[in-house]
Amino acid sequence: MKYWIMKTEPNVFSIDDLKNLKVDHWEGIRNYQARNFMRDQMKKGDGVLIYHSNCKPPGVVGVAVVDCEAYSDFTALDKKSKYYYPKATEEENPWMMVDVRYVRHLKKEVSLDEMKNHRTLEKMNLLQRGNRLSIMEATKKEYEYILKLGGL
DNA sequence: GCCAACGTTGGC
DNA sequence: GCCAACGTTGGC
């Protein structure tokens, strides 16, 4: 079992939206590294930290689990979607997504600033310079530590 | 809104 | 297959 951090912009899709839907497909990933994580490594039941980016303050806001393994991201084929990818066809669509199931909000958000203040987290992928991947792996230790900081 | 740090594209 | 130009991300 692995642990992940998945970023989302709350004004586009927030943890509250996920809570309302209970389960949703994580569409629109258009980066090969992030896709490879989903395609090759994500398994049903993996732990997911939901991270809000591009907001004040950015940080981890809740917990989810991977609900199924990766399958074709149909939004790449949808001309009306903002994630439309002209090169994709039914037969050859490079993009994939997983389903993510809401678990719970943290009692208290763990902001990016706060994470930077804990030595336990200093090696976290999320905190490395220049890392803009929207999906990143976290260790069990980091995952549990963030839950603790978040009051769970 | 700025801009550093990437990732992608496309001409050659 | 190189690499310049361009686009995107996301903290600040």
Side-chain angles (χ1 to χ4, degrees):
Chain A
M1 163 158 180
K2 289 181 180 288
Y3 297 90
W4 306 95
I5 292 188
M6 297 175 88
K7 293 187 194 171
T8 183
E9 299 188 25
N11 60 339
V12 178
F13 186 81
S14 75
I15 181 88
D16 297 314
D17 296 326
L18 183 62
K19 183 181 184 181
N20 290 337
L21 291 170
K22 294 188 174 62
V23 182
D24 197 26
H25 43 262
W26 206 263
E27 76 215 41
I29 300 295
R30 297 291 178 268
N31 169 283
Y32 286 102
Q33 253 182 292
R35 180 210 61 185
N36 291 348
F37 282 144
M38 291 195 290
R39 186 190 60 189
D40 303 334
Q41 297 195 47
M42 277 195 183
K43 296 277 188 282
K44 185 171 178 176
D46 280 2
V48 177
L49 296 169
I50 302 293
Y51 177 92
H52 279 176
S53 66
N54 244 326
C55 59
K56 284 184 183 174
V60 176
V61 293
V63 187
V65 289
V66 175
D67 203 55
C68 72
E69 291 183 17
Y71 57 98
S72 174
D73 180 347
F74 52 77
T75 63
L77 304 169
D78 179 1
K79 277 189 179 146
K80 292 195 197 86
S81 169
K82 69 168 176 169
Y83 300 119
Y84 179 59
Y85 189 77
K87 289 184 191 165
T89 62
E90 283 296 340
E91 298 74 31
E92 284 198 55
N93 174 6
W95 303 118
M96 303 185 80
M97 59 188 172
V98 295
D99 286 353
V100 171
R101 176 180 295 275
Y102 174 81
V103 176
R104 63 186 304 176
H105 281 59
L106 296 183
K107 282 189 184 154
K108 177 173 98 55
E109 298 190 9
V110 179
S111 72
L112 182 61
D113 256 355
E114 187 178 356
M115 286 190 272
K116 285 178 181 166
N117 288 331
H118 290 267
R119 288 213 64 212
T120 314
L121 302 176
E122 70 184 358
K123 298 235 176 73
M124 239 187 136
N125 286 325
L126 179 74
L127 302 183
Q128 303 315 303
R129 185 163 159 269
N131 203 336
R132 299 172 313 160
L133 270 183
S134 56
I135 298 176
M136 287 177 285
E137 206 175 339
T139 65
K140 186 174 188 208
K141 196 172 144 198
E142 290 159 353
Y143 174 87
E144 288 172 350
Y145 194 77
I146 287 173
L147 258 51
K148 201 171 76 182
L149 291 178
L152 300 182

